[in-house]
Structures are given as structure tokens and as C-alpha cells.
């Protein structure tokens, strides 16, 4: 088959890791008889530098015409001084909204080969860890009404958290569908003891759960969820939550695994369309130095093959290749503990591609 992939290398280590991910993608193509036609487009700081706009219309058009989007990372200190609405990060929010990517899947799992990397005590993680955070991505406070006004305490700024029943219902369905393919347990995270938007969230998630009698549903307040994630993370299977709570909890969950350089993510629209990117950021301090771990981006290619293209054998091949290289004790600097074989970005990518 022939597939069209829009590629956004972005900023910082983005181009370094994307190069390796494309190497692996094309290796999958050779091995399984597919053609991946990749078109590279600009977003974030790179787009600001080239066009003055963090998300050029051409980028949106190319992404919309593609089967899927592969993204490196955006942002960096160079653009930190820009006003909020012109920062590279706005490109991400714009792409999510323009492409209707309402469901963000962020797996946090421990690779057996990297079990020691977690900052948590071994006994807390005994038996492994495999959590899927399902974050609502196009609603809530990120996209709500915002503004400024005068108050008797001086000028004030506000951002509104608002969710419609429809928005909650569609993300809840994604979470329950995922749980059906996993351990049939959904934990919905909100702040329903304080927020009306959370009370609506909880009511709608509970309604949706009636269609999934096999799935166990729990509700946790976000403060408690943050605590439970470090106290007993193994209690979780699928966590479904709002845009801002998901932003925070997915970082926490990924940190628990100790290998943020290994974790991919998917942002899905209705249908099969999706954008795939590593969970980590643009790490400008090591950009262009052949130090970044390309594995999260390569595993994002795996998710792309699985979720958008429906190519599960190909996706398995990518995941197995990453595991095989870890089992060979090959490590990039972020994973290196002193006794393994230390390699750079390009060598890691080459070794993974070789195992496909
Ligand atoms: C993320 C990031 C983004 C977000 C930023 C860069 C806009 O933190 O993808 O989690 O908050 O969604
Ligand atoms: Mg974040």
C-alpha cells in the first residue's frame, strides 16, 4: 500500500529524532512492501524563523491531505521572549484544533529492560507498569474564553474551563474502547468536589460507562490521583481526564517509568486520522549533538502504523526492534547507567532499523 505522511521535525532535537524515525519507517516499508510518501512541513520555532508564523497555512493543508502526521517537538529558549499567542507552542494547540485531534493517548509503561530507571522503589512497581492516559485535547481551559479585566486588586487575567456533554462523551468512549482492549478498568479524574465542569464530566462519564458493563469505572479527584500515581501506580489501567489535568498527570505518569525518552503518544481525530509524537520536548540543550534518544519517536511511528494505518504486524515489528536493541544493552545517554554500550542518536536509529 501507499501512504502519505506529513512530517514536522520542529525544533531542538526534533530534526535529530525524526531523521531516525523516518529511517525506521522506510525500513518497515521495504520489509512489508509499503510506500510511505513523506512531506516535510514547518511548525513551531522553525516556522517562525522561516515565515514569521508558527503554524503556516501550508502546514495545515499538507497535514489535512495526509493519512497521518509525525511530529518531533517544538519550542526553545530562542522564542521564549515572544508574546503568548506567538510562541512555538501555539502551533501545537493550533494543529490539534485544526485537525480535530481531541483524543490524546499517552502510554506510560515500564520496559522490563529498563526496570531500574524508575525513581520509585522496586517494590511499588513489582510486576511492571502499563498505564494509558487518555487526555481530552481540544477543549477545556486551553481553548476556553480568556481575557483580562480590572479588579480592585489590580489588572487580572482569566481562562475559562468549560466542557460540553458531547466533548466529554466522545473522549469517554475512547477511554472505554481502549480499556476493552486492555485490563477493562477506567479511572476518570476530575475535581468534582469543587468544579461544575467536573461534575458534568463525572455525570457524562458515568452515563457512557453503562454501555461498557465489563469495564470497571472509578472516579478520583485530581489531587488524589496525583498522589496515587506515586503511591500505587499499579492500580491504574486507563486514566481519562481533561486537557489540563491530563497535561499534568501524563508528565507525572511518564516520569514514574523513568524513561521519558522512550514514550510515544498519539493524538486522534474521529476516524483513523492522527498525529504522533514523542512525549518528551525539544531538549534544546542537546539539539544537533547526536545525544537524543530517538526511541520515543520511533515508537510513535509504531503507534501510527497501529492506530491510523491499521498495520499491527508492522507496529509489532517496530516495538520488537526497540526492545531487541535494549536487550542488546544498547543505550543512549538518557538511559546509560555506566555498564552498557553507549551510542548516539544516529547509531540507536540505525540499530533499531536493522532489527526490523
Ligand atoms: C504537552 C505540552 C503542551 C501542552 C504545550 C507545549 C502546549 O506540555 O503536549 O503536554 O500543554 O499540551
Ligand atoms: Mg505537557
Amino acid at each position: 500500500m501507499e501512504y502519505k505522511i506529513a512530517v514536522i521535525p520542529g525544533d531542538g532535537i526534533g530534526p535529530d529524532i525524526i531523521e531516525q524515525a523516518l529511517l525506521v519507517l522506510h525500513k518497515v516499508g521495504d520489509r512489508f512492501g509499503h510506500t510511505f510518501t513523506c512531506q516535510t512541513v514547518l511548525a513551531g520555532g522553525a516556522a517562525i524563523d522561516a515565515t514569521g508564523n508558527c503554524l503556516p497555512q501550508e502546514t495545515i493543508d499538507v497535514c489535512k491531505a495526509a493519512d497521518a502526521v509525525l511530529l518531533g517537538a517544538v519550542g526553545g529558549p530562542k522564542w521564549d521572549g515572544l508574546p503568548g499567542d506567538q510562541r512555538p507552542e501555539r502551533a501545537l494547540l493550533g494543529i490539534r484544533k485544526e485537525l480535530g485531534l481531541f483524543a490524546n493517548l499517552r502510554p506510560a509503561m515500564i520496559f522490563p529492560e529498563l526496570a531500574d530507571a524508575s525513581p520509585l522503589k522496586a517494590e511499588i512497581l513489582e510486576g511492571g507498569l502499563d498505564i494509558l492516559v487518555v487526555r481530552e485535547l481540544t477543549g477545556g481551559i486551553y481553548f476556553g474564553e480568556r481575557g483580562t479585566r480590572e479588579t480592585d486588586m489590580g489588572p487580572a487575567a482569566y481562562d475559562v474551563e468549560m466542557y460540553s456533554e458531547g466533548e466529554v462523551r466522545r473522549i469517554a468512549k475512547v477511554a472505554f474502547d481502549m480499556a476493552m482492549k486492555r485490563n477493562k478498568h477506567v479511572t476518570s479524574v476530575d475535581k468534582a468536589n469543587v468544579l461544575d465542569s467536573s461534575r458534568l464530566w463525572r455525570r457524562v462519564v458515568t452515563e457512557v460507562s453503562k454501555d461498557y458493563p465489563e469495564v470497571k469505572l472509578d472516579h478520583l479527584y485530581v489531587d488524589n490521583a496525583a498522589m496515587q500515581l506515586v503511591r500505587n501506580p499499579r492500580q491504574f489501567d486507563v486514566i481519562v481526564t481533561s486537557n489540563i489535568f491530563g497535561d499534568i498527570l501524563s508528565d507525572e505518569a511518564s516520569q514514574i517509568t523513568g524513561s521519558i525518552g522512550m514514550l510515544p503518544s498519539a493524538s486522534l481525530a474521529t476516524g483513523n486520522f492522527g498525529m504522533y509524537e514523542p512525549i518528551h520536548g525539544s531538549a534544546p540543550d542537546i539539539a544537533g549533538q547526536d545525544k537524543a534518544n530517538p526511541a520515543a519517536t520511533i515508537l510513535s511511528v509504531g503507534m501510527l502504523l497501529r492506530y491510523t494505518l491499521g498495520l499491527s504486524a508492522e507496529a509489532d515489528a517496530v516495538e520488537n526492534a526497540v526492545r531487541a536493541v535494549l536487550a542488546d544493552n544498547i543505550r543512549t545517554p538518557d538511559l546509560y547507567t555506566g555498564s552498557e554500550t553507549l551510542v548516539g542518536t544516529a547509531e540507536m536509529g540505525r540499530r533499531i532499523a536493522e532489527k526490523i
Side-chain angles (χ1 to χ4, degrees), residues 106 135 247 251:
R106 297 191 165 182
R135 169 190 178 193
D247 179 43
D251 265 26

Side-chain angles (χ1 to χ4, degrees), residues 155-192:
Y158 62 92
D159 305 87
V160 174
E161 170 83 343
M162 179 166 93
Y163 270 109
S164 64
E165 291 188 5
E167 285 174 306
V168 179
R169 197 170 296 120
R170 68 179 178 179
I171 193 71
K173 280 188 185 154
V174 171
F176 282 101
D177 286 339
M178 290 289 155
M180 284 299 287
K181 296 183 208 149
R182 297 170 45 100
N183 293 319
K184 301 196 168 71
H185 180 199
V186 169
T187 305
S188 173
V189 174
D190 60 39
K191 190 68 185 173

Side-chain angles (χ1 to χ4, degrees), residues 74 88-90 92-93 96 104 106 135 137 142 243 246-248 250-251 265 277-279:
V74 298
E89 289 82 355
R90 289 305 299 183
L92 272 185
L93 302 184
R96 290 171 184 170
N104 187 204
R106 297 191 165 182
R135 169 190 178 193
L137 202 59
Y142 274 53
N243 204 340
D247 179 43
I248 298 164
S250 63
D251 265 26
S265 77
E277 62 185 296
I279 280 192

